[in-house]
Amino acid sequence: MSKQRGRKAKQVEEEKEEEEEEEDVQVVAEEEEDTGPTPISKLEECGITAADVKKLEAAGYHTVESVAYATKKDLQKVKGISEVKCDKVLEAASNMVQMSWTTAAAVHDARKEIIKLSTGAETLNTLLEGGFESGSITELFGEFRTGKTQLCHQLCVTCQLPMSSGGGEGRALYIDTEGNFRPERLISIAERYGLDSQDVLKNVAYARAYNSDHQSRLLVEASAMMATDHYALLVVDSATSLYRTDYFGRGELSNRQMHLARFLRTLQKLASEFGVAVVITNQVVAKVEGMPGQGETKIPIGGHIMAHASTTRLMLKKHKGENRICKVYDSPCLAESEALFSINKDGIGDPKD
């Protein structure tokens, strides 16, 4: 009898442990569902018809956040969405997304969840207080051969690393406007970290942009991709080169800046909506100073629109040999300082003597 009671007690204990494990799995699953953007299909729970949800998806709205962040004017452009439906959709989306007042303490707690992507060089990681920040735009500008594209290739690999190793445990999207993307570089960087090179290549979605309109359309497609898979990085290399060829002279300057502003605003929305680290490269032009003897300085193109859109602006400069200089040009939280790094066969690294 005592043996039977012992077996029953052990069986009851094992069943209890199994129930607790199932509860833990369920809690983890619920937490995973709560993180990230909300699928647009959730609007159906708020009285929005499935037909209207499909119309929004066809127009490029794939999450509740994208609807909530949109203006009424933009939503009314969606075919089949009347003004009355527009108001109803906006109200439903706004109720599901935090868009009202909060406290600085809540913002501070939210920023603790921000991911920093390693640059591959400890000197740069120290300068950037951990690496490239998720949920915001980081702009890299400088002359040719200063390491802009090399840094973008590096981040395409490090974003796939575990978070404990300075990664984002996600995929990367790469919009190439100049034809400088080289998968061979990803392979050499992947080998440095002991990653399977073929897996690394498969986790990088690549698209070549051929004009500024195409460049903007690619962001709509990128939004659909990020709504279904986890991406940690979005690269646009470069964000401004096509605008320099698609628009000519002062007569088209206003149209160019308006188009560029819309493109950058879309990037801001994607960074906020999906929490990805957005990295854009930018070119520079020579600015001749008015006073004699002052010479010329290099300034990033795009004017104030580019300056206001980028959260962090980093200026890259040439140095001795394979070494380069990275300077914090503008940032809301980083000190204005600079650091050396090097461009190696296996990616970005600490400076060489």
Side-chain angles (χ1 to χ4, degrees):
M1 290 290 290
S2 60
K3 288 182 179 180
Q4 288 180 350
R5 288 176 183 173
R7 283 197 295 267
K8 286 184 179 179
K10 187 176 181 181
Q11 186 178 356
V12 170
E13 188 176 345
E14 289 176 351
E15 290 176 354
K16 188 177 180 181
E17 288 178 356
E18 289 178 0
E19 289 177 359
E20 290 177 352
E21 287 178 1
E22 289 177 357
E23 288 177 359
D24 291 340
V25 170
Q26 187 176 357
V27 169
V28 171
E30 289 175 355
E31 288 178 352
E32 288 179 351
E33 288 179 358
D34 290 338
T35 60
T38 309
I40 196 170
S41 58
K42 290 289 185 180
L43 287 176
E44 295 180 35
E45 299 176 5
C46 300
I48 308 301
T49 65
D52 287 338
V53 169
K54 287 183 179 179
K55 292 173 185 176
L56 291 168
E57 279 188 298
Y61 298 94
H62 301 281
T63 66
V64 175
E65 286 80 1
S66 64
V67 175
Y69 298 156
T71 63
K72 184 176 179 179
K73 180 178 68 174
D74 288 336
L75 287 180
Q76 284 182 312
K77 294 177 182 178
V78 179
K79 188 176 181 180
I81 301 296
S82 63
E83 184 176 357
V84 175
K85 287 183 178 180
C86 180
D87 291 334
K88 187 177 179 180
V89 168
L90 274 176
E91 182 181 2
S94 299
N95 290 335
M96 297 176 68
V97 179
Q98 169 57 35
M99 296 180 64
S100 188
W101 292 91
T102 186
T103 64
V107 175
H108 184 257
D109 290 338
R111 283 192 56 80
K112 292 178 182 178
E113 303 299 320
I114 286 176
I115 299 169
K116 297 289 186 76
L117 301 181
S118 173
T119 64
E122 287 303 317
T123 51
L124 280 186
N125 289 340
T126 302
L127 178 71
L128 303 177
E129 296 183 357
F132 283 71
E133 187 176 280
S134 64
S136 65
I137 299 177
T138 301
E139 175 193 352
L140 304 172
F141 70 88
E143 296 181 280
F144 64 95
R145 291 189 70 250
T146 53
K148 301 186 297 295
T149 299
Q150 297 301 321
L151 262 171
C152 291
H153 282 71
Q154 175 76 33
L155 291 169
C156 283
V157 178
T158 55
C159 77
Q160 302 181 40
L161 293 172
M163 293 183 187
S164 58
S165 301
E169 299 180 5
R171 300 181 178 183
L173 297 122
Y174 200 111
I175 298 177
D176 182 11
T177 67
E178 299 180 323
N180 290 328
F181 179 77
R182 294 294 182 270
E184 298 88 345
R185 289 294 290 151
L186 302 185
I187 293 175
S188 60
I189 298 171
E191 291 173 350
R192 165 185 171 183
Y193 292 98
L195 301 175
D196 185 283
S197 58
Q198 290 305 308
D199 288 340
V200 168
L201 293 179
K202 290 176 182 177
N203 286 331
V204 178
Y206 170 82
R208 176 72 190 271
Y210 294 97
N211 57 63
S212 53
D213 288 336
H214 183 211
Q215 182 174 314
S216 295
R217 290 198 302 271
L218 287 173
L219 290 189
V220 178
E221 297 174 12
S223 175
M225 295 166 67
M226 286 189 282
T228 56
D229 289 304
H230 175 54
Y231 287 87
L233 174 70
L234 171 59
V235 172
V236 185
D237 182 27
S238 96
T240 53
S241 63
L242 294 176
Y243 287 94
R244 302 184 75 178
T245 56
D246 290 353
Y247 296 88
F248 301 97
R250 291 188 175 274
E252 293 187 302
L253 180 61
S254 177
N255 290 334
R256 185 190 82 170
Q257 293 300 87
M258 287 176 62
H259 196 295
L260 178 60
R262 286 194 296 269
F263 176 77
L264 294 172
R265 180 67 187 118
T266 303
L267 283 178
Q268 288 176 327
K269 288 181 179 178
L270 292 178
S272 177
E273 184 180 342
F274 296 101
V276 296
V278 176
V279 178
I280 61 176
T281 66
N282 191 10
Q283 301 173 348
V284 294
V285 292
K287 179 182 179 182
V288 180
E289 301 292 347
M291 297 297 292
Q294 286 186 330
E296 63 179 31
T297 57
K298 304 292 184 181
I299 61 172
I301 69 173
H304 295 297
I305 288 176
M306 179 65 76
H308 290 302
S310 301
T311 308
T312 302
R313 311 187 81 188
L314 303 177
M315 179 171 63
L316 305 183
K317 297 183 291 184
K318 299 173 186 175
H319 198 58
K320 297 178 181 179
E322 298 301 318
N323 289 342
R324 302 290 186 270
I325 301 173
C326 177
K327 178 181 179 180
V328 177
Y329 188 80
D330 182 35
S331 172
C333 58
L334 299 177
E336 186 174 324
S337 184
E338 60 183 41
L340 285 173
F341 67 96
S342 65
I343 302 174
N344 309 315
K345 289 183 178 180
D346 58 357
I348 302 300
D350 289 326
K352 297 180 178 179
D353 296 331

